[in-house]
Amino acid sequence: MFYIKDRLYGAIEVTTEIGPDNVFCKCPYCGKEVQVNLSLLMADGQGDLLSRSVVCDNCKRVSKEEH
Ligand SMILES: [Zn+2]
């Protein structure tokens, strides 16, 4: 089990278990919040979480229409 550990207001320690429905990122094109299943994201072998982002469905659709 992996979890996030952080401090609220510099004082209250909070831990949250990482699950399939509580990880999010911002779409790099429009900034929309995108829910990310880390299990699926890591399955492609390109698991560098610090440099990756996930494109939202709308921007994926636009990008396909351009080609
Ligand atoms: Zn987007």
Side-chain angles (χ1 to χ4, degrees), residues 41-61:
L41 192 68
M42 302 287 275
D44 67 4
Q46 300 176 15
D48 180 2
L49 290 178
L50 298 181
S51 63
R52 283 190 84 175
S53 55
V54 176
V55 178
C56 77
D57 288 340
N58 191 47
C59 290
K60 273 184 203 159
R61 197 164 38 241

Side-chain angles (χ1 to χ4, degrees), residues 5-67:
K5 188 159 104 175
D6 206 350
R7 286 192 177 274
L8 289 179
Y9 311 112
I12 305 164
E13 186 173 286
V14 177
T15 58
T16 303
E17 185 176 348
I18 295 174
D21 59 359
N22 69 351
V23 176
F24 298 85
C25 79
K26 300 262 188 199
C27 171
Y29 299 109
C30 71
K32 181 181 174 186
E33 185 177 82
V34 182
Q35 189 173 33
V36 179
N37 185 326
L38 287 183
S39 299
L40 299 176
L41 192 68
M42 302 287 275
D44 67 4
Q46 300 176 15
D48 180 2
L49 290 178
L50 298 181
S51 63
R52 283 190 84 175
S53 55
V54 176
V55 178
C56 77
D57 288 340
N58 191 47
C59 290
K60 273 184 203 159
R61 197 164 38 241
V62 169
S63 133
K64 280 180 187 163
E65 285 168 3
E66 285 174 356
H67 296 294

